[in-house]
Amino acid sequence: MNAAHTDPRIQILDEETVNQIAAGEVVERPASVVKELVENAIDAGAETVRIEIISGGGGGIKRMRVVDDGTGMSRENVRLAFLRHATSKLRAIDDLHRIRSMGFRGEALASIAAVARVEVVTKPRGSGAVPATRLVISGGEIVEDEETGAPEGTGVAVEDLFFNIPARKKFLKSTQTELRHIYAIMEQIALAHPDISFRLLHNGRERIATQKKGTLVDAISALFGSDLARDLIPVSGRTAYMQVEGLIAAPAHTRPNTAQILTSVNRRQISSAALARAVREGYGTLLPKDRFPIAFLSLTIDTGLVDVNVHPTKREVRISREADVVREVASIIRETLRSARLIPEASPSPVPGHSPVPESGYTPSAGAWQVAAPVRAYHPVHREQSATDTQLRLTEKTADATAETLLPGMKVIGQLDAAYIMVTSSPGSHEELIFVDQHAAHERVLYEQVRAKREQGVRSQELLVPVILTLRPKEAAAVREALPLLLAEGFVLEEFGRDSFAVRTVPVVLGKQVEPEVIDDIIADIIGDELRSAADKKEGVTCIIACRGAIKAGAHMTREQMERLLSQLFRTKNPSTCPHGRPTMVSFSRERLDRMFRRT
Ligand code: ADP
Ligand code: MG
């Protein structure tokens, strides 16, 4: 904890300092209010922070209240706190390069109070019989100021956000969207401060609860579930001017995007595409090409190399020597996975597609983290083939069953690397060799069927066993928001328990026994940012279902399965490309081979 443990004096920054601080909108939406209030609580040395959100009645988010057990404020201080540029954390611009508190601009409370009704009740630590102070500020004016009884610490309640700026209020999104932003911010903050207990209640229901004096593993377990927490590998590395600590998930856990690569720099949660790339790079070929790892990393970089003063909400920082930092992070991750024996030392360049399977887990070195990393065993071949059978059966029209399985003159000669089907065909007088990308091919088949079904009206079917999705609060909010879209596509989801959903019904093309991971991936994509910004959502969903439901690269197939897939492919309208426009097949004609061998 960097914060002082008594309430330090609040002062107004001088104009010169103010002018050098990145200015801008602090209050964009309810989540920004929560962020600023919670950061203040952390800066005040709080051990427990309680966040209460009230929504409903068509009014969106009505009230947000953050209560802490931090230093509290004296009556004199709290009256100053709502003035612009009033801060106890910075005195002069020279302090900025060594700032360690979350806040420093003295602007948050003033900005919030200018656009909402705020009530603060605060009592300094160790102030004994001295009464607490209660202030009510509306549109920037103190309208009530009185002594009251209250425990030590501070509670700030914010109501009617943007009541005096109707134009801003109009731009707020649905309650679920705003809640999703709040949960996302709270997840990040809770991960960066596992030693503090955060409890978030929405309309009285607990949505987030982390424990006091916890470790990062405890926080991850509380936020994302114990399954993931069990499969984490500790990371600890140091370079000349940087320290990297944290946890990364065993490669069996993957995500379709970088959303779960969470990084903080000097305890500030930041979004950095460069750092996310570095982490992905560290996993190398341990992950399939289009999958991303899960990682929680905290970088401590010499404060002289980090500029926090570049973004009004402090979401971004500027790192000098960023290229070095990226390279070093990638190499620390690689080393960590190597010593966890996930990358065999004998093979300097692992062959793509041949992810090494560790013989056993790894033994954690003595330290704060006692975690084991059981790596999910690869499916035995027979199970995989029966899954492939199911996938193929679903995309087979009933008539196909009796139809001849392959185009005349085609012969399957084998499968390369469990990814490409090799076929010979003789369209003219010569034979040619064709490589078919099994995933792209099946994706094309599924895509056309999903589209056709949609035009006839979506048909869905009940799963034999409902698939249970246990989500993070942020994802759960996104799913609630996407329920109408999901329903329109044939997914019936029922909410039960905290942030859990039962998927009862799926589109017919996916079948009755679809693998839970496939559903997981489809839902993750549907609530993902890419689709949210897509112009044609329906088309986007069709592509997602086709991609996630299709046979994957890496699935071993029998000759008969390969023949069935090809026969389905050649019945589609566009057999030569997948829905994303990539080729489904590449052919080597006799002429091409002759040219390659310089025979002509
Ligand atoms: P900043 O955090 O940038 O200093 P704020 O407007 O957020 O600016 O807060 C102004 C000042 O009010 C802080 O510097 C701090 O001294 C005081 N303050 C705000 N919230 C709390 C709190 N929860 N507990 C104790 N002091 C607080
Ligand atoms: Mg602040």
Side-chain angles (χ1 to χ4, degrees), residues 36 39-40 43 89 102-104 106 108-109 314:
E36 294 295 336
E39 288 187 348
N40 279 347
D43 285 347
K89 301 166 195 172
M102 303 276 114
F104 52 79
L109 289 183
K314 305 169 227 125

Side-chain angles (χ1 to χ4, degrees), residues 158-348:
V158 175
E159 276 182 12
D160 278 346
L161 183 63
F162 300 139
F163 77 97
N164 52 358
I165 324 183
R168 288 301 294 279
K169 199 169 172 138
K170 240 181 26 215
F171 278 103
L172 290 179
K173 297 278 170 26
S174 70
T175 307
Q176 288 303 338
T177 305
E178 298 301 339
L179 280 171
R180 191 162 46 72
H181 284 279
I182 293 174
Y183 298 148
I185 293 259
M186 283 312 304
E187 271 174 14
Q188 291 176 354
I189 296 180
L191 288 169
H193 301 274
D195 46 338
I196 300 176
S197 156
F198 296 97
R199 216 169 145 229
L200 185 148
L201 301 138
H202 171 230
N203 289 348
R205 282 178 72 179
E206 184 178 89
R207 294 293 183 183
I208 289 180
T210 66
Q211 73 196 62
K212 188 156 80 175
K213 301 202 174 77
T215 61
L216 181 57
V217 177
D218 296 327
I220 292 169
S221 182
L223 294 167
F224 310 118
S226 48
D227 277 357
L228 175 62
R230 262 194 298 277
D231 278 5
L232 295 168
I233 303 165
V235 179
S236 176
R238 163 164 262 313
T239 67
Y241 41 79
M242 173 175 71
Q243 168 97 29
V244 181
E245 297 288 339
L247 294 162
I248 57 177
H253 296 267
T254 66
R255 305 296 299 166
N257 52 43
T258 59
Q260 221 167 327
I261 302 179
L262 299 174
T263 48
S264 72
V265 170
N266 296 347
R267 295 215 129 195
R268 225 177 267 286
Q269 287 298 318
I270 55 144
S271 56
S272 162
L275 286 177
R277 206 176 342 104
V279 176
R280 175 65 186 86
E281 208 181 300
Y283 277 77
T285 50
L286 284 178
L287 301 181
K289 239 179 100 202
D290 53 349
R291 304 294 292 180
F292 294 88
I294 299 173
F296 308 93
L297 290 184
S298 140
L299 279 61
T300 311
I301 306 179
D302 187 10
T303 44
L305 290 178
V306 179
D307 187 357
V308 293
N309 187 22
V310 290
H311 194 261
T313 60
K314 305 169 227 125
R315 268 297 278 155
E316 284 160 26
V317 294
R318 191 179 297 130
I319 304 173
S320 328
R321 305 203 226 174
E322 188 179 72
D324 290 346
V325 168
V326 163
R327 192 167 29 75
E328 289 168 2
V329 168
S331 112
I332 288 171
I333 301 288
R334 204 175 304 118
E335 276 313 306
T336 303
L337 291 165
R338 198 191 305 272
S339 47
R341 296 209 280 136
L342 292 168
I343 302 177
E345 313 221 15
S347 154

Side-chain angles (χ1 to χ4, degrees), residues 205-207 468-471 476 480 494-502:
R205 282 178 72 179
E206 184 178 89
R207 294 293 183 183
I468 307 299
L469 302 175
T470 308
L471 302 172
R480 277 178 214 114
E494 271 167 30
E495 188 163 4
F496 78 95
R498 192 175 111 186
D499 301 327
S500 294
F501 292 84

Side-chain angles (χ1 to χ4, degrees), residues 1-8 42-47 69-72 124-126 152:
M1 201 104 332
N2 315 303
H5 289 268
T6 54
D7 66 326
I42 296 168
D43 285 347
E47 288 185 354
D69 60 357
T71 56
R125 263 188 201 156
E152 292 177 4

Side-chain angles (χ1 to χ4, degrees), residues 48-66:
T48 61
V49 183
R50 181 186 163 96
I51 302 102
E52 298 161 3
I53 311 291
I54 306 287
S55 73
I61 300 216
K62 285 189 174 149
R63 180 180 159 95
M64 295 165 274
R65 179 160 172 256
V66 174

Side-chain angles (χ1 to χ4, degrees), residues 6 27 142 174 196 212 229 265 295 301 413 418 437 537 543 568:
T6 54
V27 189
I142 297 185
S174 70
I196 300 176
K212 188 156 80 175
V265 170
I301 306 179
I413 55 174
D437 178 328
K537 288 222 175 16
C543 282
Q568 292 179 15

Side-chain angles (χ1 to χ4, degrees), residues 112-125:
I112 295 167
V115 296
R117 285 184 238 282
V118 179
E119 179 198 58
V120 53
V121 175
T122 185
K123 180 175 161 73
R125 263 188 201 156

